[in-house]
Amino acid sequence: PLVITFVVGVVMALEFFVPHYRFKWLTDELTEWGLILAAAAYVLGILNLLQVNVPKIVRRERDWPYKLLMVVAMVVTLGAGLGQGKDGPVYEWVYKYIFEPLSATMFSLLAFFIASAAFRAFRARNLDAAVLLSAAVLVMLASVPIGEGIPVIGEYLPGIRNWIMDVPNTAARRAIFIGAALGAVATGLRVILGIERSHLGGDA
Amino acid sequence: MTLFAFLERFQRMDPRFVFLGMAVSIIVPMVTPFEFAFQVDERVQALYDEVEELPPGSTVLLSADFDPGSRPELEPFMRANLHHLFRKDVNVVMVTLWETAPRLVFPMLEEVAAYHDLEYGEDYVFLGYKPGVELAIKALGNNIPKAFPSDHEGTDIDDLPLLRGKQKAEDFELLVLISAGHPGTREYVLQIQGQYQLDMVSASTAVSVPDYVPFYKADQLKGLVGGMPGAAQYEKLVFPDGPPEGVQLLATPAVNVLNLGHLYIITLIVLGNIAWVLTRPRGGPATGGRS
């Protein structure tokens, strides 16, 4: 596995520097293999889900009814999709009347919890917190039309928001991106060279 | 009850009252709509201008990467953008990197295409979902026929006239990225924008906009629409005289809910801080209120 990691990693990194068409054919093939493996990962995920949850259901561990419901939902949806196809009536019903409303509901709850959390936690306890709070309030006000309707300051709010986004936010984000990219390069090198072996699992 | 006691109690208010207030601030503008005028942000204007510059007959690659949870923020932009593109005789090839997206986004594409009396395969195509996250994006950049040998219905890509000659991402005049998170805009910019110098615009959820502003400032994104307010601004540009018959604006009426919702949260924050300042002990560490 370490040799495979090294060879594939070096080949894919060299893709940016070797313009020869045969090398491009090789990297295209490796990319396609990767796509196939990514699809196969879904099968592994399903097996893992069953492997983790079925024993807990059998042993009646804590929250086992919810785990049973999850496994049943997975089996029904998978069976409907495989049996009738993605346009089948059962699969469509499950997506339209269970998945869509539940998914939307979970996100809708955020509005209420954010309101409660903001009321409790946003306190200007020191200068840093006061600056953060002020920026947040200004950006929130400027993001909706009602902010622009506020007398005196309303017309300046979009400009203030854009300055916050364009200057301090962009500077901070770029610093984070560059740091993350350097970290990714370092981690990638460690994986390619076999120094980092956590991706192999077990006692590797 | 003294003022001090009231303020102390206010800070420890039962969260259910906060939830109730939020519910009222959401329901009232839905029942009694009102409108506030708003300006169009420069980033939204830039996206609109980028689409306006597309010549008739161009083909756009649209990556619709969102799910039902982020649908309210992104569907308005997607519909307005499709109307904008089709109105200019621009063809659309749509893909998605989110496994829960196809059933959501393809009906939207079909509906808008039907409104403009367009034909599948000639004017628009949906290639479907591709797993692999950044590998899928890389494959889009390098070799589309290999990544998508058929469309979402299994039709061979060679049998789709719109895709003849479209081998990779740089064969498209513009990439439109409608993204609710990962994978999405960031991964497209990282994987293929710089390598192929692609023209890209993006619509994202409002919470992701701060992440993508640096890409806009660096000209890696030619335009950026953020959440529902951005979509409302875009609708204003696409339909300056109001929507034509049969077209419904989604973001413009919904932004009223955001108006009151934001105002409610800001009011809570301000009142909470006033109460905290007035009730905190003097000379000791800052306390008061629940954190």
Side-chain angles (χ1 to χ4, degrees):
Chain A
L2 290 177
V3 172
I4 294 172
T5 306
F6 177 79
V7 170
V8 173
V10 169
V11 166
M12 296 307 291
L14 284 177
E15 182 194 11
F16 292 94
F17 307 102
V18 180
H20 196 276
Y21 74 97
R22 288 224 181 268
F23 197 84
K24 190 167 180 332
W25 174 87
L26 175 63
T27 55
D28 279 357
E29 279 298 306
L30 288 173
T31 302
E32 197 174 359
W33 293 3
L35 289 173
I36 295 168
L37 284 172
Y42 281 96
V43 178
L44 276 178
I46 291 168
L47 293 174
N48 182 256
L49 202 73
L50 291 171
Q51 191 182 21
V52 166
N53 289 285
V54 168
K56 290 182 180 177
I57 294 167
V58 168
R59 288 194 296 261
R60 299 288 192 269
E61 287 186 15
R62 190 166 166 257
D63 292 334
W64 72 267
Y66 299 112
K67 297 184 192 323
L68 176 64
L69 183 62
M70 179 182 64
V71 170
V72 167
M74 186 190 73
V75 169
V76 167
T77 309
L78 190 63
L82 290 174
Q84 299 176 338
K86 60 180 173 58
D87 296 320
V90 174
Y91 186 80
E92 190 162 342
W93 190 92
V94 168
Y95 184 91
K96 194 172 176 184
Y97 296 108
I98 297 181
F99 178 74
E100 263 200 63
L102 283 176
S103 202
T105 302
M106 290 307 295
F107 268 81
S108 304
L109 292 175
L110 276 179
F112 299 91
F113 288 114
I114 283 174
S116 177
F119 172 64
R120 293 166 184 283
F122 278 24
R123 296 285 184 265
R125 298 180 194 280
N126 49 45
L127 181 61
D128 293 344
V131 169
L132 179 66
L133 190 59
S134 306
V137 168
L138 284 170
V139 171
M140 280 181 69
L141 263 182
S143 298
V144 287
I146 203 169
E148 294 172 36
I150 296 173
V152 180
I153 64 165
E155 61 178 300
Y156 301 108
L157 280 177
I160 294 171
R161 180 203 57 204
N162 286 342
W163 182 87
I164 292 172
M165 289 290 191
D166 291 348
V167 182
N169 169 70
T170 297
R173 297 277 174 185
R174 283 178 177 165
I176 292 168
F177 288 160
I178 291 171
L182 291 172
V185 167
T187 304
L189 273 174
R190 288 170 59 86
V191 170
I192 288 171
L193 295 174
I195 302 168
E196 178 66 53
R197 302 181 189 186
S198 57
H199 63 287
L200 297 177
D203 297 324
Chain B
M1 183 188 290
T2 63
L3 176 64
F4 185 90
F6 171 76
L7 292 174
E8 282 271 352
R9 204 164 167 187
F10 176 72
Q11 291 181 79
R12 288 192 293 270
M13 178 168 53
D14 190 322
R16 286 174 290 185
F17 287 111
V18 178
F19 300 156
L20 181 63
M22 191 73 201
V24 168
S25 66
I26 288 172
I27 292 170
V28 163
M30 285 176 147
V31 172
T32 54
F34 52 88
E35 280 189 27
F36 280 92
F38 51 84
Q39 299 176 32
V40 175
D41 185 73
E42 117 187 55
R43 292 184 278 265
V44 177
Q45 184 70 53
L47 189 149
Y48 175 83
D49 293 341
E50 193 69 23
V51 175
E52 275 292 294
E53 284 169 12
L54 291 170
S58 308
T59 307
V60 156
L61 180 64
L62 191 152
S63 186
D65 305 313
F66 59 98
D67 62 2
S70 38
R71 179 180 186 170
E73 282 198 89
L74 295 173
E75 181 183 359
F77 169 82
M78 179 164 164
R79 287 181 177 273
N81 186 242
L82 286 173
H83 278 292
H84 193 188
L85 291 166
F86 289 147
R87 201 170 65 191
K88 290 186 60 62
D89 285 328
V90 172
N91 306 313
V92 171
V93 174
M94 190 165 80
V95 300
T96 180
L97 303 176
W98 285 38
E99 62 274 4
T100 51
R103 299 204 70 82
L104 193 64
V105 300
F106 184 52
M108 291 181 207
L109 173 63
E110 276 197 310
E111 192 182 317
V112 178
Y115 178 87
H116 290 270
D117 211 20
L118 300 176
E119 190 179 334
Y120 186 87
E122 300 268 354
D123 304 304
Y124 70 102
V125 164
F126 179 45
L127 293 177
Y129 159 68
K130 197 71 183 177
V133 190
E134 296 185 50
L135 268 181
I137 295 172
K138 189 177 169 348
L140 272 172
N142 284 346
N143 196 330
I144 291 176
K146 212 163 189 183
F148 293 89
S150 60
D151 73 353
H152 78 294
E153 292 286 359
T155 306
D156 201 291
I157 202 171
D158 293 330
D159 296 334
L160 297 167
L162 182 57
L163 282 158
R164 284 179 199 142
K166 301 282 187 285
Q167 295 293 311
K168 44 193 183 299
E170 60 186 339
D171 293 332
F172 294 88
E173 279 75 17
L174 182 69
L175 268 70
V176 178
L177 313 171
I178 306 176
S179 162
H182 174 83
T185 299
R186 185 162 188 264
E187 286 67 37
Y188 272 98
V189 171
L190 291 178
Q191 286 294 330
I192 59 175
Q193 195 285 324
Q195 188 176 2
Y196 301 107
Q197 293 301 310
L198 301 171
D199 287 342
M200 286 186 183
V201 296
S202 174
S204 71
T205 50
V207 74
S208 300
V209 165
D211 283 341
Y212 302 147
V213 165
F215 297 144
Y216 173 77
K217 298 299 290 181
D219 212 31
Q220 289 167 305
L221 290 175
K222 302 291 184 186
L224 181 61
V225 165
M228 202 177 286
Q233 294 168 24
Y234 186 68
E235 283 178 347
K236 186 178 177 181
L237 292 172
V238 174
F239 305 110
D241 301 318
E245 195 180 329
V247 176
Q248 189 185 5
L249 298 184
L250 297 177
T252 304
V255 84
N256 289 328
V257 176
L258 285 185
N259 275 323
L260 273 198
H262 278 220
L263 207 56
Y264 174 69
I265 292 177
I266 291 167
T267 305
L268 279 181
I269 291 171
V270 169
L271 291 179
N273 274 277
I274 292 172
W276 175 75
V277 166
L278 292 176
T279 57
R280 68 176 178 170
R282 297 287 180 258
T287 56
R290 222 183 287 180
S291 60

